[in-house]
Amino acid sequence: MPRLSAAQRHTIRFTLNGQPVQGEAEPRLLLTDFLRHVLGATGTHVGCEHGVCGACTVQIDGSPARACLTLAVQVEGSDIRTVEALAPAPGRLSILQEAFRRHHALQCGFCTAGILMSLDAFLRAQPDADEAALRDLLSGHLCRCTGYAPIIAAALDAAARLRETAHA
Amino acid sequence: MDSPGDKWVGQSLPRFEDAALLTGRGRYFDDCGAPPGTLHAAILRSPHGHALIEAIDTAAARALPGVAAVLTGEDIRTSTTSLVVGVKAPMECWPIAVERVRYVGEPVVLVVATDRYVAEDALDLIEVRYTPLPAVTDPVVALTPEAPVLHDGLKGNLASERRFRYGDPEAAFASAAHRIAIDVTYPRSACTPIECYGVLADYDPGEDSYDVFANFQGPFSIHAVIARALRVPGNRLRLRTPPDSGGSFGVKQGVFPYIVLMAAAARACGRPVKWVEDRLEHLAASSVATNRVTRLEAAVTADGIITALDWDQLEDCGAHLRAPEPATLYRMHGNMTGAYAVRNVAIRNRVVLTNKAPTGLNRGFGGPQVYFALERLVQRIALTLGLDPLDVIRRNLVPTSAMPYRTASGALLDSGDYATAMETALREGRHDELLRRRDAARAEGRPYGIGYTAVVEPSVSNMGYITAVLTPAERKRAGPKNGAQATATIQCDAVGSVSVHVASVPQGQGHRTVLAQVVADELGLRPQDIRVVTDIDTAKDAWSIASGNYASRFAPAVAGVARIAAQQLRTRLQRIAAPLLNVPPDDVVLAHGKLHARGNADNALPFARVASSPHWAPGTLPAEDSAPLRETAWWTPPELTAPTEADEVNSSLCHGFIFDFCGVEVDRVTGQVRVDRYVTMHDCGTVLHPGMVAGQVTGGFAHALGAALYEAHSYAPDGSFQTGTFADYLVPTVMEVPAPLILHHESPSPFTPLGAKGVGEGNCMSTPVCIANAVADALGLHDVSLPLLPATLARHLHGAEPGAPAVAPPQGERTLRGEGEARVAAPREKVWAMLLDPEALMAIIPGAHAIQRTSPTAYRAEVTLGIGPVKGRYRVTLSLADLDEPSALTLSGSAAGALGFGQGRGQVTLREADGSTVIAYHYEAAVGGKVASIAGRLLDGATRVIIGQFFAALARQAAPRQPWWQRLLHRLGLHA
Ligand code: FES
Ligand code: FES
């Protein structure tokens, strides 16, 4: 483990959505601030900065993680995916994103990036997840707009369609 | 996507907003960047509920590299004017504390620095010396003569009192068969959008003007309040909003005091200043709904008909009366009889100030408080008279034949068929089956209850309703206020494509999609052909005081005025096309992207050609149509008149109807409430977009469920704020929110262009009391207060828990108690000496940086402690007393830092045992400030850990050091 000095900025390099990126940060800089304000990747949102709301969820080496509880220096050398990476091409949406649109599973959309990142990782790991498992996963996210029912509907729909495409 | 013949309005189109929001391309406040050179602000806030500010030492903060300015209340006071206060009372309202703090979280010092991290570092270096004052958090206690007074000019804490009388309530009560009353309290909760506040402000000294970018939601009447506070005319305050907003539910109206602060800071620094609120700041000090104490009494006939209501409402607006308060108390003024035809009404309204955060807009705005009393009373009437609650509701509903119906206090209920909606709900919601379900559960001994509510949901506020807080004479002096101006602008550009702008500031409701549908219908285009812009720039856009996104005004007012603007544009297009098609203008039909002659679709012109013609060939057009096509429509409903001499107030334009019923089961062991089934019937007039209406209902329902079961802004008696994180302020997750069955019965409003009424707030009014009625039914409770926490209900189920002696905490803050023992392998004298030696203590006290002996028995130290998520520096003073060398002493101390303060006392005894010393201690401590707000749950554990660390370090330091091989053997568990 390299020793970092609190008073110094350090160069951090990692892969963001398939592209190598780098920037400078003091050891105390949160990953959310690094992504949003140093790299300009503003799709990841900040709702509480204490790990409860889930808005800041990103994937670090394939696993969902709270970017607000992660220091930028911790992800040196990692592979990070954020909401900006989910769509297959500009102007198109992924199956999961499409399902959210179809079911009106977002209103303000502020919580959505985190929810998508959790679901994306989860459905890849557990394509057969049932409603109870999806609820369990989504209980780590707060949404103040939708009342959750459309989010559950979208997640179930996306899971079913992903299974179909997998079998096709 | 095409819709020949059909209308786009009424279809659940996918939202145009979503593609950007789903791909991380939203443009929320903090995504929009800031000009080069922008400085970042952080705010030091009060840790006390009530205290005098004796001194603020900012020298160290100013000296920190990167800090541009440190501004106190005095600095802000010299460059701004107090925010206007909505009642006639000798009282000021500053966005930052001046001389005195009145609630935990009140801004005290503003630091502006090169980045937010540096600004927060500087906060830690500021020393504020407070003299704590007694605080009052209970609105009833605040009215007593002994209560501490918050605002000296007021003499007491009563900020406003008015009495109203409609019909002849005295006679109705005198002749009533029954007088049935209920006393209720409604707690504080807030809608907590996931995005917090954000402000970016700049000042141009050359023009003496401010440019502000903020996620403000309206009403834009507040623009006048901000400009006045900044001492500029309105045209020197340019207020802009970002394209997207991360939710508001009313709350983002409350960003305006921070607009004043940041604008003043930008002026002081000569640079743009940006501030983003964090969650603790949001929970402690943004915009919370009022708590209210209500006594409501009804005069009732033998068969349950209510002939009069007597309201006594005590509204707690917190520490300051901040605009538009006390509007929460008056928003429902025309609707104090709910869905019922009651002609005689008496009302006493009082507004009181307490040491809690100032209140403001939150979804439901005044409705939850009113209906909690009214619908609890209806259940009480049924129980008292031995009637079915449904029959009490039925017998009192406003009859359909009476629509539009003028309520006793002045509202004009626009339309509705309440009885049919209710019976439909009972049928389609399978009410009889629910009754059987309750019977079956009860037969098994499971507490199961059913609740009902009937509610009128007002929307499109009359901008004049708040003046009902003034007497008719005061109103006359101030000039009448009324109306609700809405505006929309539609224009065709050089290639004839259509853009729409409205002054609406959506917060996630999909306004752009609905507006495209509305305009597409009028112009014969497809929604995707139309671009809609909804953010506001007060320097360039059409707007008025009612602009913004609140009071459920979008569908009835904003979408309606967009239709009017589209119709105006259509009329002009018809006039331009008529001579070219050789038909009268009325026979020009707009459909499928063309203008064609009625009955002859082949005699047609492309829409784009006609729409662009004034740009390219104005000379070919008659003079009145030669200007490019740009229509701005304004609409204000004539029904929204000013309050009358007799205080009748048509407080809102539209009135939706809601009838809810639900079945709940209370866990016999834990007291947890499970909503088994929830049915909600809505009459919101014409439904413009079923998907979005469903979204508004389920979203509002989730907010309401939170308010009913979990959420409460919690204060200790001394004013300490205890719910500063999402781990303390419990917002429902997907695990807690069931999907309600949503039903509709459409009675279009005759007063709105599209027949629509508001729908977003109704469940916040109907659901909390519906659940409360069901729980009361399940447990046979007389009184119910929210939130319905398991701990509270468990008391009803099992009786109060024995034990727990009621010891008054030292100052009412979060109190900690503990005891323990530690064994140190050293003689008593040595341990004793260490406790009295600063050098030794320095090594022992966890996180101590500097320790000084200020007298033979007193120390001062700087200590860094981490408690849960918060690590901070504290200035600690310790003193030793009752010294009984070497066997006992009393240690008292206090700690204060940016994160909070505490004081405590511990008794320590030292006892010899086999050559070592056993140290026994017990302590009692009280903690307040930020650390109590955000780490309350963790304090006990953290304190134990810290004290454990102290004694472990003491044992380490005191014990003679063993040779390395002994330590190794010891670690391996082998004793030599
Ligand atoms: S911002 Fe990270 S969990 Fe809320
Ligand atoms: S869509 Fe607004 S918080 Fe979830």
Side-chain angles (χ1 to χ4, degrees), chain B residues 162 164 333 409 462-470 472 475 479-483 640-651:
Chain B
R162 281 219 65 199
F164 303 87
H333 197 82
S409 50
N462 185 347
M463 298 312 279
Y465 77 74
I466 180 58
T467 61
V469 71
L470 305 175
R475 279 203 299 272
K481 306 255 185 323
N482 75 295
L640 291 185
T641 48
T644 67
E645 277 286 305
D647 284 318
E648 290 137 344
V649 190
N650 189 17
S651 32

PDB file of all heavy atoms in Angstrom, chain B residues 162 164 333 409 462-470 472 475 479-483 640-651:
ATOM      1  N   ARG B 162     -56.121  35.251  14.870  1.00  0.00           N
ATOM      2  CA  ARG B 162     -57.323  35.768  14.220  1.00  0.00           C
ATOM      3  C   ARG B 162     -58.475  34.820  14.522  1.00  0.00           C
ATOM      4  O   ARG B 162     -58.295  33.610  14.652  1.00  0.00           O
ATOM      5  CB  ARG B 162     -57.132  35.850  12.700  1.00  0.00           C
ATOM      6  CG  ARG B 162     -56.328  37.064  12.251  1.00  0.00           C
ATOM      7  CD  ARG B 162     -56.907  37.659  10.971  1.00  0.00           C
ATOM      8  NE  ARG B 162     -58.247  38.188  11.198  1.00  0.00           N
ATOM      9  CZ  ARG B 162     -59.136  38.437  10.242  1.00  0.00           C
ATOM     10  NH1 ARG B 162     -58.831  38.216   8.987  1.00  0.00           N
ATOM     11  NH2 ARG B 162     -60.338  38.899  10.531  1.00  0.00           N
ATOM     12  N   PHE B 164     -62.462  33.790  13.212  1.00  0.00           N
ATOM     13  CA  PHE B 164     -63.362  33.862  12.066  1.00  0.00           C
ATOM     14  C   PHE B 164     -64.688  33.224  12.452  1.00  0.00           C
ATOM     15  O   PHE B 164     -64.725  32.320  13.286  1.00  0.00           O
ATOM     16  CB  PHE B 164     -62.779  33.107  10.866  1.00  0.00           C
ATOM     17  CG  PHE B 164     -61.414  33.589  10.444  1.00  0.00           C
ATOM     18  CD1 PHE B 164     -60.267  33.063  11.043  1.00  0.00           C
ATOM     19  CD2 PHE B 164     -61.284  34.557   9.466  1.00  0.00           C
ATOM     20  CE1 PHE B 164     -59.017  33.502  10.664  1.00  0.00           C
ATOM     21  CE2 PHE B 164     -60.019  34.998   9.086  1.00  0.00           C
ATOM     22  CZ  PHE B 164     -58.883  34.470   9.679  1.00  0.00           C
ATOM     23  N   HIS B 333     -57.994  27.640   4.049  1.00  0.00           N
ATOM     24  CA  HIS B 333     -59.016  28.401   4.775  1.00  0.00           C
ATOM     25  C   HIS B 333     -60.414  28.246   4.181  1.00  0.00           C
ATOM     26  O   HIS B 333     -61.398  28.176   4.915  1.00  0.00           O
ATOM     27  CB  HIS B 333     -58.639  29.879   4.867  1.00  0.00           C
ATOM     28  CG  HIS B 333     -59.421  30.597   5.917  1.00  0.00           C
ATOM     29  ND1 HIS B 333     -59.086  30.558   7.246  1.00  0.00           N
ATOM     30  CD2 HIS B 333     -60.564  31.312   5.848  1.00  0.00           C
ATOM     31  CE1 HIS B 333     -59.981  31.234   7.947  1.00  0.00           C
ATOM     32  NE2 HIS B 333     -60.896  31.705   7.120  1.00  0.00           N
ATOM     33  N   SER B 409     -66.718  29.066   4.436  1.00  0.00           N
ATOM     34  CA  SER B 409     -65.607  30.005   4.578  1.00  0.00           C
ATOM     35  C   SER B 409     -65.145  30.554   3.234  1.00  0.00           C
ATOM     36  O   SER B 409     -64.137  31.238   3.169  1.00  0.00           O
ATOM     37  CB  SER B 409     -64.450  29.344   5.334  1.00  0.00           C
ATOM     38  OG  SER B 409     -64.139  28.097   4.757  1.00  0.00           O
ATOM     39  N   ASN B 462     -54.984  30.787  -4.733  1.00  0.00           N
ATOM     40  CA  ASN B 462     -55.279  32.210  -4.881  1.00  0.00           C
ATOM     41  C   ASN B 462     -54.146  32.982  -4.211  1.00  0.00           C
ATOM     42  O   ASN B 462     -53.895  32.791  -3.019  1.00  0.00           O
ATOM     43  CB  ASN B 462     -56.611  32.490  -4.193  1.00  0.00           C
ATOM     44  CG  ASN B 462     -57.079  33.924  -4.375  1.00  0.00           C
ATOM     45  OD1 ASN B 462     -56.319  34.787  -4.800  1.00  0.00           O
ATOM     46  ND2 ASN B 462     -58.341  34.154  -4.055  1.00  0.00           N
ATOM     47  N   MET B 463     -53.441  33.823  -4.947  1.00  0.00           N
ATOM     48  CA  MET B 463     -52.314  34.536  -4.350  1.00  0.00           C
ATOM     49  C   MET B 463     -52.775  35.475  -3.237  1.00  0.00           C
ATOM     50  O   MET B 463     -51.963  36.038  -2.518  1.00  0.00           O
ATOM     51  CB  MET B 463     -51.537  35.315  -5.416  1.00  0.00           C
ATOM     52  CG  MET B 463     -50.916  34.438  -6.504  1.00  0.00           C
ATOM     53  SD  MET B 463     -50.005  32.994  -5.870  1.00  0.00           S
ATOM     54  CE  MET B 463     -48.438  33.715  -5.425  1.00  0.00           C
ATOM     55  N   GLY B 464     -54.084  35.616  -3.110  1.00  0.00           N
ATOM     56  CA  GLY B 464     -54.595  36.495  -2.062  1.00  0.00           C
ATOM     57  C   GLY B 464     -54.978  35.779  -0.782  1.00  0.00           C
ATOM     58  O   GLY B 464     -55.306  36.426   0.210  1.00  0.00           O
ATOM     59  N   TYR B 465     -54.927  34.434  -0.762  1.00  0.00           N
ATOM     60  CA  TYR B 465     -55.470  33.761   0.428  1.00  0.00           C
ATOM     61  C   TYR B 465     -54.708  34.110   1.695  1.00  0.00           C
ATOM     62  O   TYR B 465     -55.270  34.216   2.775  1.00  0.00           O
ATOM     63  CB  TYR B 465     -55.578  32.247   0.234  1.00  0.00           C
ATOM     64  CG  TYR B 465     -54.289  31.462   0.353  1.00  0.00           C
ATOM     65  CD1 TYR B 465     -53.702  31.233   1.592  1.00  0.00           C
ATOM     66  CD2 TYR B 465     -53.669  30.909  -0.768  1.00  0.00           C
ATOM     67  CE1 TYR B 465     -52.519  30.510   1.708  1.00  0.00           C
ATOM     68  CE2 TYR B 465     -52.503  30.182  -0.664  1.00  0.00           C
ATOM     69  CZ  TYR B 465     -51.926  29.995   0.568  1.00  0.00           C
ATOM     70  OH  TYR B 465     -50.769  29.279   0.685  1.00  0.00           O
ATOM     71  N   ILE B 466     -53.389  34.299   1.532  1.00  0.00           N
ATOM     72  CA  ILE B 466     -52.588  34.534   2.725  1.00  0.00           C
ATOM     73  C   ILE B 466     -52.963  35.847   3.399  1.00  0.00           C
ATOM     74  O   ILE B 466     -52.761  36.020   4.599  1.00  0.00           O
ATOM     75  CB  ILE B 466     -51.076  34.465   2.398  1.00  0.00           C
ATOM     76  CG1 ILE B 466     -50.208  34.700   3.644  1.00  0.00           C
ATOM     77  CG2 ILE B 466     -50.667  35.425   1.318  1.00  0.00           C
ATOM     78  CD1 ILE B 466     -50.467  33.733   4.757  1.00  0.00           C
ATOM     79  N   THR B 467     -53.586  36.753   2.638  1.00  0.00           N
ATOM     80  CA  THR B 467     -53.945  38.024   3.280  1.00  0.00           C
ATOM     81  C   THR B 467     -55.087  37.842   4.273  1.00  0.00           C
ATOM     82  O   THR B 467     -55.432  38.776   4.988  1.00  0.00           O
ATOM     83  CB  THR B 467     -54.342  39.098   2.242  1.00  0.00           C
ATOM     84  OG1 THR B 467     -55.485  38.632   1.505  1.00  0.00           O
ATOM     85  CG2 THR B 467     -53.210  39.382   1.270  1.00  0.00           C
ATOM     86  N   ALA B 468     -55.661  36.650   4.337  1.00  0.00           N
ATOM     87  CA  ALA B 468     -56.672  36.391   5.365  1.00  0.00           C
ATOM     88  C   ALA B 468     -56.054  36.424   6.761  1.00  0.00           C
ATOM     89  O   ALA B 468     -56.774  36.507   7.757  1.00  0.00           O
ATOM     90  CB  ALA B 468     -57.352  35.053   5.123  1.00  0.00           C
ATOM     91  N   VAL B 469     -54.721  36.382   6.838  1.00  0.00           N
ATOM     92  CA  VAL B 469     -54.093  36.512   8.150  1.00  0.00           C
ATOM     93  C   VAL B 469     -54.222  37.948   8.658  1.00  0.00           C
ATOM     94  O   VAL B 469     -54.103  38.211   9.851  1.00  0.00           O
ATOM     95  CB  VAL B 469     -52.607  36.059   8.093  1.00  0.00           C
ATOM     96  CG1 VAL B 469     -51.751  37.062   7.328  1.00  0.00           C
ATOM     97  CG2 VAL B 469     -52.050  35.839   9.495  1.00  0.00           C
ATOM     98  N   LEU B 470     -54.471  38.865   7.749  1.00  0.00           N
ATOM     99  CA  LEU B 470     -54.654  40.271   8.136  1.00  0.00           C
ATOM    100  C   LEU B 470     -56.135  40.528   8.398  1.00  0.00           C
ATOM    101  O   LEU B 470     -56.999  39.842   7.841  1.00  0.00           O
ATOM    102  CB  LEU B 470     -54.170  41.195   7.008  1.00  0.00           C
ATOM    103  CG  LEU B 470     -52.740  40.984   6.517  1.00  0.00           C
ATOM    104  CD1 LEU B 470     -52.445  41.874   5.322  1.00  0.00           C
ATOM    105  CD2 LEU B 470     -51.740  41.255   7.633  1.00  0.00           C
ATOM    106  N   PRO B 472     -59.661  42.614   7.905  1.00  0.00           N
ATOM    107  CA  PRO B 472     -60.174  43.303   6.725  1.00  0.00           C
ATOM    108  C   PRO B 472     -59.646  44.735   6.631  1.00  0.00           C
ATOM    109  O   PRO B 472     -59.325  45.218   5.531  1.00  0.00           O
ATOM    110  CB  PRO B 472     -61.685  43.258   6.924  1.00  0.00           C
ATOM    111  CG  PRO B 472     -61.914  42.014   7.735  1.00  0.00           C
ATOM    112  CD  PRO B 472     -60.726  41.921   8.646  1.00  0.00           C
ATOM    113  N   ARG B 475     -56.112  44.613   5.433  1.00  0.00           N
ATOM    114  CA  ARG B 475     -56.109  44.257   4.010  1.00  0.00           C
ATOM    115  C   ARG B 475     -56.431  45.465   3.150  1.00  0.00           C
ATOM    116  O   ARG B 475     -55.867  45.666   2.092  1.00  0.00           O
ATOM    117  CB  ARG B 475     -57.145  43.162   3.739  1.00  0.00           C
ATOM    118  CG  ARG B 475     -56.680  41.770   4.069  1.00  0.00           C
ATOM    119  CD  ARG B 475     -57.463  40.729   3.294  1.00  0.00           C
ATOM    120  NE  ARG B 475     -58.881  40.721   3.571  1.00  0.00           N
ATOM    121  CZ  ARG B 475     -59.459  40.025   4.559  1.00  0.00           C
ATOM    122  NH1 ARG B 475     -58.710  39.282   5.359  1.00  0.00           N
ATOM    123  NH2 ARG B 475     -60.756  40.053   4.725  1.00  0.00           N
ATOM    124  N   GLY B 479     -54.090  47.020   0.233  1.00  0.00           N
ATOM    125  CA  GLY B 479     -54.552  46.826  -1.150  1.00  0.00           C
ATOM    126  C   GLY B 479     -54.884  45.371  -1.383  1.00  0.00           C
ATOM    127  O   GLY B 479     -54.232  44.484  -0.825  1.00  0.00           O
ATOM    128  N   PRO B 480     -55.945  45.098  -2.169  1.00  0.00           N
ATOM    129  CA  PRO B 480     -56.386  43.715  -2.352  1.00  0.00           C
ATOM    130  C   PRO B 480     -55.358  42.881  -3.116  1.00  0.00           C
ATOM    131  O   PRO B 480     -54.641  43.404  -3.965  1.00  0.00           O
ATOM    132  CB  PRO B 480     -57.679  43.863  -3.155  1.00  0.00           C
ATOM    133  CG  PRO B 480     -57.542  45.172  -3.861  1.00  0.00           C
ATOM    134  CD  PRO B 480     -56.705  46.047  -2.984  1.00  0.00           C
ATOM    135  N   LYS B 481     -55.308  41.604  -2.760  1.00  0.00           N
ATOM    136  CA  LYS B 481     -54.448  40.653  -3.492  1.00  0.00           C
ATOM    137  C   LYS B 481     -55.313  39.481  -3.927  1.00  0.00           C
ATOM    138  O   LYS B 481     -56.116  38.965  -3.132  1.00  0.00           O
ATOM    139  CB  LYS B 481     -53.335  40.124  -2.591  1.00  0.00           C
ATOM    140  CG  LYS B 481     -52.499  41.192  -1.919  1.00  0.00           C
ATOM    141  CD  LYS B 481     -51.147  41.298  -2.571  1.00  0.00           C
ATOM    142  CE  LYS B 481     -50.204  42.282  -1.856  1.00  0.00           C
ATOM    143  NZ  LYS B 481     -50.806  43.485  -1.319  1.00  0.00           N
ATOM    144  N   ASN B 482     -55.140  39.045  -5.133  1.00  0.00           N
ATOM    145  CA  ASN B 482     -55.909  37.888  -5.587  1.00  0.00           C
ATOM    146  C   ASN B 482     -55.324  37.357  -6.885  1.00  0.00           C
ATOM    147  O   ASN B 482     -54.350  37.897  -7.403  1.00  0.00           O
ATOM    148  CB  ASN B 482     -57.382  38.279  -5.807  1.00  0.00           C
ATOM    149  CG  ASN B 482     -57.551  39.087  -7.073  1.00  0.00           C
ATOM    150  OD1 ASN B 482     -57.042  40.203  -7.175  1.00  0.00           O
ATOM    151  ND2 ASN B 482     -58.225  38.542  -8.040  1.00  0.00           N
ATOM    152  N   GLY B 483     -55.940  36.293  -7.415  1.00  0.00           N
ATOM    153  CA  GLY B 483     -55.569  35.774  -8.729  1.00  0.00           C
ATOM    154  C   GLY B 483     -54.468  34.738  -8.679  1.00  0.00           C
ATOM    155  O   GLY B 483     -53.988  34.346  -7.607  1.00  0.00           O
ATOM    156  N   LEU B 640     -60.881  33.468  -8.693  1.00  0.00           N
ATOM    157  CA  LEU B 640     -59.973  33.714  -7.563  1.00  0.00           C
ATOM    158  C   LEU B 640     -60.030  35.189  -7.175  1.00  0.00           C
ATOM    159  O   LEU B 640     -59.167  35.983  -7.527  1.00  0.00           O
ATOM    160  CB  LEU B 640     -58.556  33.261  -7.902  1.00  0.00           C
ATOM    161  CG  LEU B 640     -58.392  31.752  -8.032  1.00  0.00           C
ATOM    162  CD1 LEU B 640     -56.929  31.383  -8.252  1.00  0.00           C
ATOM    163  CD2 LEU B 640     -58.939  31.017  -6.805  1.00  0.00           C
ATOM    164  N   THR B 641     -61.048  35.513  -6.435  1.00  0.00           N
ATOM    165  CA  THR B 641     -61.243  36.891  -5.995  1.00  0.00           C
ATOM    166  C   THR B 641     -60.529  37.112  -4.667  1.00  0.00           C
ATOM    167  O   THR B 641     -60.138  36.164  -3.977  1.00  0.00           O
ATOM    168  CB  THR B 641     -62.743  37.163  -5.815  1.00  0.00           C
ATOM    169  OG1 THR B 641     -63.290  36.076  -5.060  1.00  0.00           O
ATOM    170  CG2 THR B 641     -63.454  37.203  -7.159  1.00  0.00           C
ATOM    171  N   ALA B 642     -60.406  38.376  -4.312  1.00  0.00           N
ATOM    172  CA  ALA B 642     -59.749  38.714  -3.045  1.00  0.00           C
ATOM    173  C   ALA B 642     -60.670  38.329  -1.880  1.00  0.00           C
ATOM    174  O   ALA B 642     -61.886  38.261  -2.037  1.00  0.00           O
ATOM    175  CB  ALA B 642     -59.441  40.207  -3.010  1.00  0.00           C
ATOM    176  N   PRO B 643     -60.095  38.086  -0.699  1.00  0.00           N
ATOM    177  CA  PRO B 643     -60.928  37.805   0.476  1.00  0.00           C
ATOM    178  C   PRO B 643     -61.939  38.933   0.693  1.00  0.00           C
ATOM    179  O   PRO B 643     -61.631  40.100   0.462  1.00  0.00           O
ATOM    180  CB  PRO B 643     -59.919  37.748   1.626  1.00  0.00           C
ATOM    181  CG  PRO B 643     -58.621  37.395   0.974  1.00  0.00           C
ATOM    182  CD  PRO B 643     -58.658  38.008  -0.392  1.00  0.00           C
ATOM    183  N   THR B 644     -63.134  38.552   1.129  1.00  0.00           N
ATOM    184  CA  THR B 644     -64.184  39.563   1.297  1.00  0.00           C
ATOM    185  C   THR B 644     -64.080  40.227   2.662  1.00  0.00           C
ATOM    186  O   THR B 644     -63.306  39.800   3.532  1.00  0.00           O
ATOM    187  CB  THR B 644     -65.571  38.909   1.200  1.00  0.00           C
ATOM    188  OG1 THR B 644     -65.736  38.049   2.334  1.00  0.00           O
ATOM    189  CG2 THR B 644     -65.724  38.110  -0.082  1.00  0.00           C
ATOM    190  N   GLU B 645     -64.910  41.239   2.836  1.00  0.00           N
ATOM    191  CA  GLU B 645     -65.031  41.921   4.137  1.00  0.00           C
ATOM    192  C   GLU B 645     -65.343  40.934   5.255  1.00  0.00           C
ATOM    193  O   GLU B 645     -64.927  41.100   6.390  1.00  0.00           O
ATOM    194  CB  GLU B 645     -66.195  42.916   4.062  1.00  0.00           C
ATOM    195  CG  GLU B 645     -65.844  44.246   3.440  1.00  0.00           C
ATOM    196  CD  GLU B 645     -65.021  45.097   4.392  1.00  0.00           C
ATOM    197  OE1 GLU B 645     -65.489  45.321   5.514  1.00  0.00           O
ATOM    198  OE2 GLU B 645     -63.905  45.494   4.012  1.00  0.00           O
ATOM    199  N   ALA B 646     -66.129  39.917   4.897  1.00  0.00           N
ATOM    200  CA  ALA B 646     -66.534  38.929   5.896  1.00  0.00           C
ATOM    201  C   ALA B 646     -65.520  37.787   6.006  1.00  0.00           C
ATOM    202  O   ALA B 646     -65.821  36.739   6.585  1.00  0.00           O
ATOM    203  CB  ALA B 646     -67.906  38.379   5.542  1.00  0.00           C
ATOM    204  N   ASP B 647     -64.333  37.981   5.432  1.00  0.00           N
ATOM    205  CA  ASP B 647     -63.262  36.994   5.505  1.00  0.00           C
ATOM    206  C   ASP B 647     -63.570  35.704   4.750  1.00  0.00           C
ATOM    207  O   ASP B 647     -63.000  34.647   5.066  1.00  0.00           O
ATOM    208  CB  ASP B 647     -62.897  36.647   6.953  1.00  0.00           C
ATOM    209  CG  ASP B 647     -62.077  37.746   7.612  1.00  0.00           C
ATOM    210  OD1 ASP B 647     -61.175  38.282   6.927  1.00  0.00           O
ATOM    211  OD2 ASP B 647     -62.342  38.064   8.785  1.00  0.00           O
ATOM    212  N   GLU B 648     -64.462  35.760   3.788  1.00  0.00           N
ATOM    213  CA  GLU B 648     -64.645  34.582   2.939  1.00  0.00           C
ATOM    214  C   GLU B 648     -63.505  34.549   1.931  1.00  0.00           C
ATOM    215  O   GLU B 648     -63.181  35.566   1.323  1.00  0.00           O
ATOM    216  CB  GLU B 648     -65.975  34.647   2.192  1.00  0.00           C
ATOM    217  CG  GLU B 648     -67.169  34.467   3.101  1.00  0.00           C
ATOM    218  CD  GLU B 648     -68.277  35.434   2.781  1.00  0.00           C
ATOM    219  OE1 GLU B 648     -68.015  36.433   2.074  1.00  0.00           O
ATOM    220  OE2 GLU B 648     -69.399  35.206   3.233  1.00  0.00           O
ATOM    221  N   VAL B 649     -62.911  33.383   1.786  1.00  0.00           N
ATOM    222  CA  VAL B 649     -61.715  33.257   0.960  1.00  0.00           C
ATOM    223  C   VAL B 649     -61.876  32.094   0.000  1.00  0.00           C
ATOM    224  O   VAL B 649     -62.000  30.947   0.432  1.00  0.00           O
ATOM    225  CB  VAL B 649     -60.468  32.975   1.843  1.00  0.00           C
ATOM    226  CG1 VAL B 649     -59.215  33.082   1.004  1.00  0.00           C
ATOM    227  CG2 VAL B 649     -60.408  33.915   3.029  1.00  0.00           C
ATOM    228  N   ASN B 650     -61.841  32.388  -1.291  1.00  0.00           N
ATOM    229  CA  ASN B 650     -61.775  31.284  -2.252  1.00  0.00           C
ATOM    230  C   ASN B 650     -60.303  30.950  -2.414  1.00  0.00           C
ATOM    231  O   ASN B 650     -59.636  31.405  -3.324  1.00  0.00           O
ATOM    232  CB  ASN B 650     -62.420  31.670  -3.581  1.00  0.00           C
ATOM    233  CG  ASN B 650     -62.556  30.462  -4.499  1.00  0.00           C
ATOM    234  OD1 ASN B 650     -62.460  29.320  -4.045  1.00  0.00           O
ATOM    235  ND2 ASN B 650     -62.755  30.702  -5.778  1.00  0.00           N
ATOM    236  N   SER B 651     -59.791  30.148  -1.486  1.00  0.00           N
ATOM    237  CA  SER B 651     -58.343  29.984  -1.365  1.00  0.00           C
ATOM    238  C   SER B 651     -57.726  29.255  -2.547  1.00  0.00           C
ATOM    239  O   SER B 651     -56.553  29.424  -2.824  1.00  0.00           O
ATOM    240  CB  SER B 651     -58.003  29.291  -0.044  1.00  0.00           C
ATOM    241  OG  SER B 651     -59.005  28.387   0.354  1.00  0.00           O
TER     242      SER B 651
END
